[in-house]
Amino acid sequence: MAIGYALGVQYSPLPVCGSGRVRTQCRQRRGVVSMSVQKTSKKASLAAEKLLHEFREASATPLPLLHQVSDAMVHEMYAGLSSDGGSDQLKMLPTYVENLPSGKEKGLFYAVDLGGTNFRVLRVQLGGKTGEILSQEFKEVAIPPELMVGTGKDLFDFIAGTLASFVDTEDDSLKSHSGEVRESGFAFSFPVRQTSVKSGIVIHWTKGFKVDDAVGKDIVKQFQDAISRSGHQITISALVNDTVGTLAGGRFNFEEETMIGCIIGTGTNACYVERADTVQKWEHPLPKSGEMVINMEWGNFRSPLLPRTFADEIVDRNSVNPGDQWFEKMISGMYLGEIVRHVLARMAEEAKLFGGYVPVKLLEPLTLGTPQVSKMHADTSPDLQVVAKVLKDVYGVETTTLEERKIVHDVCDIMGERGGRLAAAGLYGILKKIGRTGKAENGSKKKTVIAMDGGLFEHHEPYRTYMESALQELMGSDAAYEVALRLQNDGSGIGAALLAASHSQFT
Ligand code: BGC
């Protein structure tokens, strides 16, 4: 079997290595560098280079492929807008957000942001002018892992309790306009079929959450009941996906036209402003604004065009939702570390990367985090010292050659490049759908802003650079629109508070 084939999705894991590997490992641990080990490592690097080459090919995202991927995305968008279940990939969920913040929002609002392993509670005082936030405080809390796979009641009691104790720290000077009752937005970053701007049914969980008894029920009611149990008076005025919060925050902050909100963090997703009359499945009167924000849930895009490798297959198989969220598993932060680990483990076992030493921990799931991959990828030192340090700290690989470190760096680079470029193809698909691509007439360009948030986009600079340049490549040099990716920091939380303000029950 050709190696390229082996690196594609047909790979089956190797049997556990035998005593040969252990012997080499022991020798190296004692610091004895014998001739045989040196010879092995020479051969190893050739084999590793070969695997690397094949892995690069399997993950490649040349421009024509990106165009095809974005066309496939557009195709699924149309299908998803036509009827519920019209696309088995993109849910294209109407959000009931017909008006984005105008900038005139004013007063004290809270927000709860639940979307990953941490959640945040926020308090913001809006000033009434574009981008004016008079004060802002937040508290971030890690979700105990058992609550991520437990019952809805336990999860929401925990969240409501944290919100309630945060409300208790409110300064007297921050008078709420509604007396004792506080209003809060709820950024809930999982697929939800909304039934109004402040209610919606959980479709399923992603990103490692699996709270089965909450599925099929109104998420706001579950949260609101938990708030009542806490004895506090807090009303949830808006339920928003984190992408929608990010889009709302973008509209509030940036003067240019913000049309898309996109998250690339633990998970990934995008929403955008659609012409309401094109949403065929919408059965209610058309909104006065003529527009509607659509939550695509693009993480579940599963085009066969996506360049998947053996590592993607294993990661998918071992996840809590096998077969789902392919796009998310290829481009977002929750999975990047694990994909890189599988590739390195295979290289260590099959091609004797690290001279035949296979660190036991490298074979253990989830031992390489995306932040460590980001760090290694961003290493620009001539001798790749950061890569060396991560390999030593995480896997106890005491010594590595520059050649080996380059291979590790390249694996991180290949994955970062693939993720950034595929994300750009997704965004280009949306721009195409809303008519913001094509060539400029008379050389004049209009501007479109994409509000971005998420740890991977914010902190993984090489990924962001790949994404930006792929988007430019896709748009072309004579494009009618200049597209800017703008970081809308803490987009989801602030955006949820803003949408609570614009849907306030008290103003
Ligand atoms: C969820 C989306 C969310 C995205 C980013 C995905 O796993 O399904 O609703 O917007 O993560 O947080």
Side-chain angles (χ1 to χ4, degrees):
M1 184 178 10
I3 294 178
Y5 189 61
L7 283 171
V9 294
Q10 306 298 326
Y11 171 70
S12 52
L14 289 171
V16 174
C17 285
S19 54
R21 185 188 71 197
V22 177
R23 261 202 311 275
T24 317
Q25 196 170 321
C26 296
R27 258 191 236 147
Q28 285 187 330
R29 285 218 172 118
R30 278 190 243 112
V32 180
V33 182
S34 71
M35 279 307 287
S36 70
V37 170
Q38 277 179 353
K39 262 194 209 146
T40 318
S41 85
K42 267 255 164 61
K43 264 200 239 136
S45 72
L46 267 182
E49 286 288 352
K50 199 165 180 209
L51 275 180
L52 179 71
H53 174 75
E54 299 298 340
F55 183 66
R56 195 190 298 282
E57 301 269 287
S59 314
T61 51
L63 191 59
L65 178 71
L66 291 187
H67 274 291
Q68 287 177 315
V69 166
S70 49
D71 286 346
M73 180 76 85
V74 174
H75 179 83
E76 293 301 327
M77 289 172 82
Y78 275 105
L81 289 174
S82 68
S83 62
D84 276 338
S87 159
D88 63 353
Q89 301 179 27
L90 301 185
K91 295 190 179 64
M92 305 300 286
L93 302 164
T95 62
Y96 289 75
V97 172
E98 304 161 357
N99 292 302
L100 286 162
S102 61
K104 299 205 177 91
E105 290 73 18
K106 204 171 169 182
L108 180 69
F109 292 91
Y110 281 82
V112 174
D113 186 1
L114 174 64
T117 42
N118 288 344
F119 88 99
R120 288 162 50 101
V121 284
L122 294 90
R123 174 162 49 223
V124 291
Q125 192 156 41
L126 306 169
K129 292 190 204 130
T130 298
E132 190 181 37
I133 293 181
L134 300 177
S135 70
Q136 173 181 343
E137 294 159 82
F138 74 88
K139 184 174 169 196
E140 186 161 320
V141 181
I143 309 252
E146 65 278 12
L147 293 187
M148 292 169 66
V149 291
T151 66
K153 180 172 178 298
D154 288 349
L155 178 65
F156 282 110
D157 278 342
F158 178 74
I159 293 171
T162 310
L163 174 63
S165 51
F166 184 63
V167 166
D168 289 342
T169 64
E170 185 181 294
D171 195 281
D172 283 347
S173 63
L174 297 171
K175 282 267 174 292
S176 164
H177 59 83
S178 52
E180 282 305 299
V181 182
R182 308 295 189 289
E183 279 190 291
S184 178
F186 182 21
F188 181 72
S189 308
F190 301 93
V192 164
R193 194 169 309 286
Q194 289 204 224
T195 42
S196 78
V197 79
K198 52 179 182 153
S199 58
I201 309 293
V202 185
I203 304 174
H204 60 75
W205 295 89
T206 55
K207 296 175 282 197
F209 278 76
K210 207 169 181 303
V211 184
D212 287 338
D213 68 347
V215 173
K217 296 185 194 147
D218 184 350
I219 198 71
V220 175
K221 176 159 188 327
Q222 296 180 66
F223 187 24
Q224 200 73 72
D225 288 349
I227 294 173
S228 304
R229 286 195 290 274
S230 80
H232 282 65
Q233 291 189 58
I234 307 164
T235 296
I236 304 298
S237 308
L239 168 68
V240 297
N241 185 259
D242 51 358
T243 55
V244 180
T246 300
L247 172 64
R251 275 286 171 99
F252 183 71
N253 279 325
F254 310 139
E255 277 160 25
E256 302 91 341
E257 210 171 10
T258 309
M259 296 300 285
I260 300 175
C262 175
I263 304 279
I264 302 193
T266 308
T268 183
N269 189 12
C271 74
Y272 70 104
V273 182
E274 180 59 281
R275 264 181 38 205
D277 61 354
T278 68
V279 184
Q280 284 176 37
K281 65 182 176 185
W282 182 252
E283 287 170 348
H284 310 281
L286 289 182
K288 282 202 198 93
S289 65
E291 293 181 336
M292 190 180 293
V293 176
I294 300 290
N295 167 15
M296 293 174 63
E297 287 295 336
W298 84 359
N300 198 37
F301 181 54
R302 290 193 314 265
S303 167
L305 292 163
L306 294 173
R308 279 160 55 85
T309 67
F310 77 96
D312 299 290
E313 275 285 292
I314 302 175
V315 165
D316 183 30
R317 235 186 357 251
N318 295 344
S319 68
V320 293
N321 51 354
D324 289 338
Q325 304 286 112
W326 277 14
F327 199 50
E328 176 160 280
K329 287 170 186 166
M330 291 176 79
I331 72 175
S332 82
M334 179 155 175
Y335 308 92
L336 201 58
E338 192 59 358
I339 293 177
V340 169
R341 181 187 71 80
H342 277 294
V343 178
L344 296 184
R346 181 155 190 206
M347 285 180 159
E349 289 194 318
E350 240 183 56
K352 299 196 171 58
L353 179 72
F354 313 132
Y357 170 46
V358 184
V360 177
K361 208 172 156 200
L362 184 60
L363 305 179
E364 283 170 18
L366 307 176
T367 46
L368 188 64
T370 294
Q372 285 137 349
V373 172
S374 300
K375 261 197 213 164
M376 293 197 285
H377 193 181
D379 186 0
T380 50
S381 64
D383 50 356
L384 295 175
Q385 274 316 307
V386 180
V387 175
K389 186 164 176 358
V390 171
L391 291 173
K392 187 170 167 204
D393 293 352
V394 181
Y395 291 122
V397 184
E398 291 292 338
T399 51
T400 44
T401 64
L402 180 57
E403 218 174 18
E404 288 163 352
R405 295 197 290 279
K406 274 188 181 148
I407 290 177
V408 174
H409 185 268
D410 280 359
V411 172
C412 300
D413 184 52
I414 291 167
M415 282 299 92
E417 177 175 13
R418 184 186 73 166
R421 287 176 69 82
L422 288 176
L427 291 176
Y428 183 71
I430 305 176
L431 291 165
K432 226 172 163 177
K433 171 75 182 69
I434 59 175
R436 298 207 171 208
T437 54
K439 295 199 188 321
E441 283 164 22
N442 324 320
S444 69
K445 276 189 194 281
K446 290 179 233 155
K447 193 148 187 183
T448 297
V449 173
I450 302 178
M452 298 290 311
D453 200 6
L456 197 56
F457 180 81
E458 185 179 356
H459 302 298
H460 195 340
E461 204 203 317
Y463 184 107
R464 193 169 63 233
T465 308
Y466 277 126
M467 188 170 163
E468 280 164 353
S469 64
L471 191 57
Q472 294 316 323
E473 266 180 66
L474 283 157
M475 294 296 291
S477 52
D478 51 356
Y481 286 86
E482 193 185 314
V483 179
L485 298 178
R486 304 266 291 263
L487 180 68
Q488 166 54 40
N489 234 326
D490 191 25
S492 38
I494 299 279
L498 284 166
L499 287 165
S502 52
H503 294 85
S504 169
Q505 297 170 11
F506 301 102
T507 49

